[in-house]
Amino acid sequence: DRDLRVVAANPAWVAAYERLGGATFREGMSLATWSEHDEAQRTTSLELWQRALSGERFTVLREISAHTGTAEEFEVTYSPVQDERGTIVGASHVVRNITERRQQEAEESESRRLESVGRLAGGVAHDFNNLMTAVMGYSELIRASLEPNDPRIADLAEVEKAASRAGELTQQLLAFARRREVRPKDIDPG
């Protein structure tokens, strides 16, 4: 009501609030003397109620942390309550627990981020694969132009070995991009 006395309280909200470690919230109590988790939260709550009593309808997000360290997020819509003449006689608030929705949104966001990273990895892998194809092609051309006992063949073999390792790395990037299982294998870095 206009004196900040609780006229009615939804039992589900009362139970949820108390479960999270909030103060007891019951019909008949005065919000002016109600003690929330701390003085700052109490002051904020009173300001929100006063806004609704002045005729404003609005929605805020509130996070309530339990003493166990867990927290839940709530969407709270405050509204003025008017009598049949349109006079504001009190205020109400509707509380909706949005914790699960927020968690789902976070998971979907992470999934979209990973999908973007996968597309990027796939693009990089394809470009890298094209470069390694060129390296291997030119290596074959050079090898064909050398005499069998040319000492540069050993250097060319190292280039080809490095290009082959790069090809394996490309396959791993492509597997990641396609979300396939990557089977790591031991390689000799020497």
Side-chain angles (χ1 to χ4, degrees):
D1 65 16
R2 292 205 60 83
D3 295 324
L4 295 173
R5 277 191 315 268
V6 177
V7 176
N10 179 305
W13 163 241
V14 171
Y17 193 73
E18 289 179 358
R19 174 180 49 80
L20 288 168
T24 301
F25 191 91
R26 64 183 183 288
E27 292 177 13
M29 69 181 283
S30 171
L31 294 178
T33 58
W34 179 45
S35 173
E36 271 202 73
H37 295 289
D38 60 38
E39 187 60 29
Q41 286 187 356
R42 180 179 169 281
T43 301
T44 299
S45 288
L46 290 175
E47 289 170 359
L48 295 173
W49 283 109
Q50 290 297 341
R51 282 176 57 189
L53 287 169
S54 71
E56 188 178 349
R57 183 179 195 280
F58 58 95
T59 301
V60 296
L61 296 178
R62 292 207 51 198
E63 185 176 282
I64 300 175
S65 300
H67 297 296
T68 60
T70 61
E72 293 184 30
E73 192 167 1
F74 297 88
E75 183 180 80
V76 185
T77 301
Y78 290 82
S79 302
V81 175
Q82 300 174 333
D83 64 12
E84 60 279 346
R85 294 180 307 227
T87 303
I88 296 173
V89 295
S92 70
H93 78 321
V94 176
V95 181
R96 190 171 75 185
N97 190 327
I98 60 170
T99 305
E100 267 186 44
R101 185 180 85 197
R102 291 294 185 161
Q103 289 170 343
Q104 184 178 16
E105 288 170 354
E107 289 169 5
E108 288 171 1
S109 176
E110 178 68 10
S111 178
R112 284 191 300 273
R113 187 187 70 77
L114 286 174
E115 185 178 324
S116 294
V117 169
R119 280 196 306 271
L120 176 64
V124 168
H126 281 292
D127 289 347
F128 192 67
N129 194 46
N130 291 340
L131 293 171
M132 287 299 103
T133 300
V135 169
M136 291 299 283
Y138 280 110
S139 175
E140 288 176 20
L141 290 174
I142 293 170
R143 182 181 289 282
S145 71
L146 297 176
E147 294 295 322
N149 58 352
D150 192 312
R152 293 178 290 177
I153 288 181
D155 293 336
L156 195 55
E158 289 301 316
V159 169
E160 291 168 341
K161 194 161 69 171
S164 177
R165 283 191 214 140
E168 291 171 7
L169 177 61
T170 300
Q171 292 308 310
Q172 288 179 349
L173 280 171
L174 286 170
F176 172 77
R178 294 180 188 126
R179 295 186 180 184
R180 290 186 186 155
E181 180 182 342
V182 177
R183 292 191 179 102
K185 71 176 192 179
D186 292 334
I187 60 169
D188 179 10

